[in-house]
Amino acid sequence: MAEIALRLFGGENAIENAIGNVISTKLAEKRALSHALTGDKLVRETGVSPSALPIDVEDVQGLIFRGYGTLHAACYVLLQLGDAAEARAWLAQLWPEIARGVPAAEQSAVHVAFTYAGLRALGLPAAALDGFSRSFSDGMIDEHRSRFLGDTQRSAPEHWSWGGPNQPAAHAVLMLFAKDEAALTQLQTSMRQAWLAGGITELTTLQAAPLRATEHFGFADGISQPAIEGYHPAPSDLHLVKSGEFLLGYPNEYGEYTERPLLDAALDPKALLPLDVEGSAQRDLGRNGSYLVFRQLRQDVPAFRRALEERTCNPDGTPNLAARDALAARMVGRWQSGASLVVAQYGDDASKAKQNEFRYHDEDPEGLKCPIGAHVRRANPRDALPPGPGSERSLAVNHKHRLIRRGRSYGEPLPEGVTDDQDRGLYFIAVNADISRQFEFIQHSWLVDPRFNSLSNEADPLLSAQPSNAFSVPHEPVRARYTGLPRFVTVAGGAYFFMPGIRALRFLAELTP
Amino acid sequence: MPHQEPLTVVAKVDPTRLASLAHVMDAMRHDPAHNDVLPFGALPDCHFGRVLFLPESEDLQGRAIAPQLLMLSDCDGPVGPHLEALVDRAQGGIDRLFGNCEDFPKLNGQGASRAQRLDFLRKKSVHVKASYVHRPGRSVEQIRREAQLRDALETFVDAHGLTNLAPLEARKQLRAHVKSTPALSWALEPAPGVDLGYRIRNALDAATLPLGLIAFGPVVLPAALVLLILIRLQELRDPAPHIRPTPEHVRELAALEDFVAQSGYTAGGLLKPGWVRRATVATLLPVIGWGTRHLFSSDSLAGVTSIHFARWIPLDQGRRVVFVSNYDGSVESYNNDFIDLVSWGLNLIFSNGYQYPKTQWLVQGGATREQEFKDYLRRHQIPTPVWYSAYPQLTAPNVVRNAKLRAGLHGYMSESEARRWLKLL
């Protein structure tokens, strides 16, 4: 009778999954049970909260947890694999060198991630490839995706300098971090010998600029990052997001496991991969891995300054730099120091640069402090959107659309009052477990869509994909509106990568075709 | 001002004329607004329109389901005059399109008469019991004019600043501008809303469900409880395999999406076998229709604010249901809204569909199994190349804000009301 009741009330999956997971020791049994259950169901059945599920930190590439603020030099090498066996031999040498979640890399760090074409070039069979997400297997440059992401006109993939339809396909990105340029060069040299020996072609090396306090438009960047539940400490639940949003094989914000490549055990005869935590007896190639969204965003600093100066100049036509920077801050949603307009309404205040516990609806429902259309308010609206702006429900929806950003600037900073045509910008690198629900949703529905949050004709003022774009700054009694803003940021390259866990790297290196 | 009604024409396609139909639909897809078959854009009372083709298939028992042609529109009602206007405008286009269907009058080298066309379309019209209108009473003309009003007011504010004014003074200047602009003077009058006859009928209709429950409750409620238990027992056994859509199918759908502010959504599928599910759907559709008319009739379908119009169409003697909507933004964001805001409502009807993700007690689970649900919907989505919108650049919240902007031009306002109203700009 009790069993019938349990079945009626929805416990059947839990029971079945748990049965599939019985392991001899009591501890393992308990872990298997808790792994077999998901999210809300888990709490109901066992009283164990999903956050109590330990993250297998040693098996995760460390970049997912940290951005290496003390490793000032970095570069990203795009590689094209040649012979599959040679490439696997290269990977077999490489994987033990990859920086893990623990111990934290201090002197240098090496990371590697693969495109869909790259995984195929390594010899991963179709049955395994089929398990990856559609966004990843389609890639960043299919026609619908370009329209959807705003990669049109000058940002269209046919104009890209890498990753576009006219370039050789990138298979892997090798990400190198070191204390300084000299150490980076050394690391690069030793890595190059290895990839050359593996029959691998270097397509291009994207050289990041030495870490600086601000990006090229003059703003501190990368301030608001989600905290991974079970790993990062967090002062509140504002930024605390389930690990499954950033790591495959863990419960996400829906209490579900995001789709990931699960392999029949026969494909992993050495049992190198972890078991599917949902209890299917398959091997999980995705677990402890994640997807990287990599985009080269070219920033037109002279155009940015000029457009803002034209709109804020003194009555006699001379530039008013303070007014210009204030407008720039409204477009960004933060002051140059990083202080939010919500916590520092009237001017920059570096002492508030780290204050990131604010909510928009609570403190600024009408956007009088920070405009509704400001870049950071669009990219992470916190509690500002329906359902019930200001409510926990609103925040819960927001949690389903977060990114960990690991990007760095490239190119020389442009001094004030100078104009040049040098290439500079941002290597935008984001970590997410569901490209479609996280990066693509944010890019399309929050940044590119000119009707975001009931606005009428306002795409993101920095990315401003629309030529007819406007940007309005709420005021009393009526808003100020800036029209005819040009496009300051163009996309110059990009690809989706899969960043495998360490065991998955070894599995790939030891594939037997 | 009229309320809005859905026109639903369902006709079986003559299996020997599939190529001819495909040819006609191809001619329409390049310009659904102004093609020479059925120019939706020439109908001033038409909010949204679409023509879609359901290919031949079979049900779970292996019985054949004939190919069908659907013509749908959302019009400023009633639907009778709309259908006449449509026939008068399309003329021979009706023959070209529906001449490929069974029961269409035989053409001997000349066109069908107006009466023949109307007669055919009326016979093939289906009354749907469950449909949704974002806000009854807002006509195409009103929505378009209010968008023009916004543009005019935005431009006026851009030019004149209105800075340093008290809110009431700023409003006064905006009103004066509207008054002095002949093309905008209509805006000083409030929007008419639905007419009295509709309101009376609507009020009577609102009473039917509660009165029915009082009168027949002692019979209906126990019956509903039995049905629910039968559903729960079936839920334990119903297959719910997680099947992903094919890349080709997704590509075909995606090629039609994200061009303008809205997209047309069509999804359809077979019900689970047996009378229980069929009875459930037959019972729920009128209840959902009542709910959309009386609980969700002001700019939100149970919390989802991104839908302009929607309807549920039972087909093939209740073996299949097709869901049709006109929604804002991307499919991803639309599906996320379903899951985050109204998973129970989606489950009510969709969970009766074959292979739907596992539910409990009809409303729990299902859509909250995010990936399974998204894949199920994508698999059942039907490409809709012939789709028309009368205001493709406006989201439903845009329409609502424009209406509020217009409404605020009329009548008395306090200082704080004026302050809030000006925030609509």
Side-chain angles (χ1 to χ4, degrees):
Chain A
M1 195 62 208
E3 199 209 332
I4 292 170
L6 187 58
R7 284 171 64 86
L8 283 177
F9 286 91
E12 73 268 25
N13 280 347
I15 299 294
E16 282 160 21
N17 288 342
I19 288 168
N21 257 346
V22 173
I23 303 174
S24 56
T25 73
K26 232 177 168 73
L27 184 67
E29 218 167 64
K30 198 172 167 190
R31 275 186 66 156
L33 178 66
S34 55
H35 279 176
L37 305 172
T38 59
D40 296 345
K41 216 171 10 175
L42 180 81
V43 180
R44 205 164 57 233
E45 303 288 332
T46 65
V48 180
S49 113
S51 59
L53 292 180
I55 295 174
D56 195 354
V57 181
E58 276 180 32
D59 196 42
V60 178
Q61 295 200 37
L63 185 67
I64 294 174
F65 297 120
R66 60 184 67 88
Y68 301 120
T70 59
L71 302 180
H72 290 264
C75 69
Y76 313 104
V77 189
L78 292 168
L79 300 173
Q80 188 173 52
L81 309 184
D83 175 71
E86 284 183 25
R88 287 195 298 267
W90 161 75
L91 187 56
Q93 283 191 324
L94 179 68
W95 75 258
E97 307 292 318
I98 300 297
R100 303 165 179 235
V102 282
E106 282 169 8
Q107 295 303 317
S108 68
V110 177
H111 292 288
V112 68
F114 297 92
T115 62
Y116 187 77
L119 293 174
R120 202 167 38 202
L122 276 174
L124 191 65
L129 285 165
D130 284 347
F132 285 94
S133 77
R134 184 83 66 213
S135 299
F136 175 66
S137 57
D138 284 355
M140 197 183 276
I141 60 169
D142 94 2
E143 185 191 326
H144 168 249
R145 203 158 262 114
S146 293
R147 177 166 76 239
F148 179 86
L149 297 176
D151 296 346
T152 55
Q153 300 159 0
R154 282 193 295 141
S155 289
E158 54 264 32
H159 304 307
W160 289 3
S161 50
W162 61 274
N166 307 321
Q167 279 104 20
H171 287 161
V173 60
L174 194 59
M175 312 169 86
L176 309 178
F177 300 84
K179 283 256 177 216
D180 52 41
E181 293 299 324
L184 183 69
T185 310
Q186 220 173 20
L187 183 60
Q188 249 172 303
T189 308
S190 72
M191 286 288 150
R192 181 173 292 116
Q193 282 169 357
W195 78 60
L196 288 176
I200 292 165
T201 312
E202 173 185 350
L203 297 178
T204 181
T205 291
L206 305 171
Q207 199 74 41
L211 279 185
R212 294 169 60 243
T214 64
E215 52 70 63
H216 288 298
F217 291 150
F219 291 83
D221 191 19
I223 295 168
S224 205
Q225 300 274 16
I228 300 176
E229 193 175 282
Y231 183 81
H232 293 116
S236 74
D237 62 357
L238 182 60
H239 301 289
L240 190 62
V241 178
K242 296 271 184 280
S243 51
E245 294 291 308
F246 308 107
L247 289 173
L248 296 171
Y250 295 85
N252 63 22
E253 283 286 331
Y254 285 109
E256 301 270 320
Y257 291 89
T258 304
E259 66 181 341
R260 62 207 182 285
L262 297 174
L263 278 58
D264 286 338
L267 285 173
D268 182 18
K270 292 186 237 172
L272 294 173
L273 295 172
L275 277 168
D276 171 17
V277 291
E278 287 188 283
S280 69
Q282 289 176 297
R283 295 280 165 178
D284 192 344
L285 177 58
R287 186 165 155 95
N288 297 320
S290 193
Y291 293 107
L292 290 191
V293 177
F294 197 133
R295 282 157 79 79
Q296 180 176 347
L297 305 178
R298 191 169 278 153
Q299 293 172 274
D300 190 343
V301 178
F304 181 73
R305 289 179 184 161
R306 194 165 55 241
L308 270 59
E309 277 162 21
E310 282 166 10
R311 287 161 178 80
T312 52
C313 59
N314 293 314
D316 64 359
T318 54
N320 178 341
L321 293 190
R324 181 199 71 183
D325 290 348
L327 175 57
R330 297 224 144 60
M331 288 167 65
V332 172
R334 290 183 182 274
W335 297 98
Q336 279 77 355
S337 73
S340 166
L341 296 181
V342 168
V343 297
Q345 186 179 358
Y346 299 107
D348 201 352
D349 182 348
S351 71
K352 294 179 173 167
K354 299 273 184 282
Q355 271 189 37
N356 200 32
E357 287 295 305
F358 60 88
R359 299 181 181 210
Y360 289 111
H361 186 81
D362 271 11
E363 301 177 45
D364 184 30
E366 294 174 324
L368 289 167
K369 297 175 185 171
C370 176
I372 306 290
H375 176 70
V376 302
R377 190 168 177 155
R378 299 177 75 120
N380 179 16
R382 302 180 181 218
D383 65 334
L385 296 184
S391 71
E392 292 308 307
R393 277 187 80 201
S394 172
L395 202 57
V397 170
N398 193 71
H399 279 358
K400 290 159 184 155
H401 312 287
R402 293 295 304 264
L403 296 171
I404 295 174
R405 289 167 298 142
R406 293 288 179 241
R408 292 192 176 209
S409 286
Y410 70 92
E412 297 284 320
L414 185 67
E416 192 66 65
V418 179
T419 294
D420 70 7
D421 54 4
Q422 272 194 48
D423 188 11
R424 58 174 62 81
L426 177 72
Y427 294 128
F428 172 89
I429 299 170
V431 177
N432 54 186
D434 186 337
I435 297 172
S436 175
R437 172 159 58 78
Q438 293 169 279
F439 166 71
E440 290 181 350
F441 174 90
I442 294 168
Q443 175 75 14
H444 173 266
S445 300
W446 287 354
L447 297 178
V448 173
D449 189 347
R451 301 113 192 153
F452 164 77
N453 201 3
S454 305
L455 295 172
S456 285
N457 196 21
E458 298 191 27
D460 184 273
L462 293 186
L463 306 181
S464 63
Q466 311 286 326
S468 60
N469 209 32
F471 173 63
S472 61
V473 179
H475 268 308
E476 301 285 3
V478 290
R479 89 288 182 285
R481 193 165 80 140
Y482 301 90
T483 53
L485 291 166
R487 189 166 191 159
F488 309 118
V489 175
T490 47
V491 185
Y496 293 142
F497 293 91
F498 170 60
M499 181 176 255
I502 305 296
R503 275 179 286 180
L505 282 175
R506 184 179 167 197
F507 165 81
L508 291 169
E510 298 183 18
L511 272 174
T512 43
Chain B
M1 199 57 82
H3 59 285
Q4 282 62 46
E5 288 189 2
L7 169 68
T8 312
V9 175
V10 182
K12 280 200 178 109
V13 177
D14 177 348
T16 65
R17 301 193 57 94
L18 294 179
S20 158
L21 176 63
H23 184 71
V24 178
M25 286 183 68
D26 245 11
M28 298 181 74
R29 67 179 292 170
H30 297 298
D31 192 353
H34 303 111
N35 64 83
D36 60 1
V37 181
L38 205 176
F40 284 110
L43 303 167
D45 63 348
C46 180
H47 292 254
F48 292 91
R50 75 182 77 191
V51 173
L52 59 111
F53 172 67
L54 304 181
E56 182 177 4
S57 60
E58 55 182 44
D59 69 10
L60 296 172
Q61 283 77 40
R63 289 174 297 181
I65 293 179
Q68 283 160 88
L69 180 66
L70 273 67
M71 178 180 75
L72 314 174
S73 65
D74 298 286
C75 67
D76 293 323
V79 82
H82 170 70
L83 192 60
E84 286 182 36
L86 192 151
V87 165
D88 290 339
R89 190 66 190 73
Q91 301 216 14
I94 298 290
D95 307 353
R96 285 171 65 193
L97 188 59
F98 289 99
N100 300 303
C101 294
E102 292 177 1
D103 303 333
F104 197 78
K106 285 278 167 286
L107 306 174
N108 301 318
Q110 59 196 34
S113 70
R114 179 178 192 268
Q116 282 176 313
R117 290 171 186 150
L118 273 174
D119 183 55
F120 173 82
L121 292 175
R122 283 185 186 130
K123 279 197 182 124
K124 299 297 177 189
S125 291
V126 178
H127 173 70
V128 296
K129 294 196 171 65
S131 63
Y132 168 77
V133 182
H134 199 50
R135 171 69 69 103
R138 245 182 237 141
S139 65
V140 173
E141 187 192 23
Q142 182 189 340
I143 289 170
R144 285 177 167 165
R145 280 164 102 184
E146 285 171 353
Q148 289 162 7
L149 173 71
R150 162 173 298 278
D151 287 345
L153 294 184
E154 299 271 17
T155 309
F156 180 77
V157 173
D158 285 344
H160 296 83
L162 304 186
T163 43
N164 304 322
L165 294 180
L168 285 173
E169 181 56 30
R171 176 175 180 245
K172 203 168 141 190
Q173 294 204 12
L174 286 166
R175 276 168 55 102
H177 173 63
V178 170
K179 203 169 182 176
S180 66
T181 310
L184 296 179
S185 54
W186 54 267
L188 291 174
E189 295 299 315
V194 288
D195 55 40
L196 184 65
Y198 175 84
R199 273 182 292 181
I200 292 170
R201 286 198 305 280
N202 204 43
L204 293 174
D205 177 57
T208 53
L209 188 75
L211 287 177
L213 278 181
I214 292 168
F216 303 107
V219 182
V220 170
L221 294 179
L225 193 63
V226 170
L227 195 61
L228 190 60
I229 289 170
L230 289 175
I231 288 171
R232 181 67 197 121
L233 290 170
Q234 290 196 353
E235 281 174 340
L236 296 174
R237 297 190 309 267
D238 286 334
H242 183 176
I243 305 170
R244 298 171 81 194
T246 65
E248 297 73 32
H249 182 62
V250 173
R251 259 194 289 279
E252 188 183 358
L253 293 166
L256 300 167
E257 291 164 356
D258 305 307
F259 284 96
V260 291
Q262 317 140 349
S263 291
Y265 188 84
T266 315
L270 292 165
L271 297 193
K272 287 168 177 152
W275 65 270
V276 170
R277 295 298 186 164
R278 230 186 275 185
T280 306
V281 169
T283 311
L284 283 176
L285 283 181
V287 175
I288 285 175
W290 184 90
T292 57
R293 286 192 300 279
H294 305 296
L295 302 178
F296 306 125
S297 61
S298 49
D299 305 329
S300 161
L301 179 52
V304 180
T305 56
S306 56
I307 303 176
H308 298 256
F309 292 88
R311 74 184 83 165
W312 291 258
I313 309 167
L315 291 177
D316 315 308
Q317 302 85 45
R319 284 178 288 169
R320 273 200 295 188
V321 174
V322 170
F323 172 76
V324 168
S325 69
N326 300 290
Y327 69 98
D328 300 326
S330 69
V331 154
E332 173 69 26
S333 98
Y334 191 41
N335 287 358
N336 290 336
D337 279 356
F338 281 163
I339 302 168
D340 295 336
L341 308 177
V342 65
S343 61
W344 62 270
L346 265 292
N347 291 344
L348 271 181
I349 296 295
F350 280 58
S351 79
N352 299 292
Y354 181 60
Q355 296 184 333
Y356 187 80
K358 240 178 184 5
T359 47
Q360 294 92 39
W361 300 107
L362 194 60
V363 291
Q364 287 183 309
T368 63
R369 297 167 177 266
E370 181 208 359
Q371 200 59 54
E372 283 179 56
F373 173 72
K374 286 177 177 171
D375 284 340
Y376 174 87
L377 284 193
R378 213 54 169 148
R379 270 202 304 131
H380 288 83
Q381 219 182 311
I382 300 163
T384 311
V386 185
W387 173 81
Y388 164 77
S389 165
Y391 32 88
Q393 300 305 336
L394 299 176
T395 63
N398 285 156
V399 170
V400 173
R401 279 171 74 88
N402 293 348
K404 285 182 181 164
L405 193 61
R406 186 261 188 92
L409 287 171
H410 170 80
Y412 168 82
M413 247 187 208
S414 71
E415 176 99 7
S416 67
E417 284 169 332
R419 202 191 142 276
R420 234 173 303 134
W421 177 72
L422 288 164
K423 293 286 175 294
L424 293 166
L425 282 168

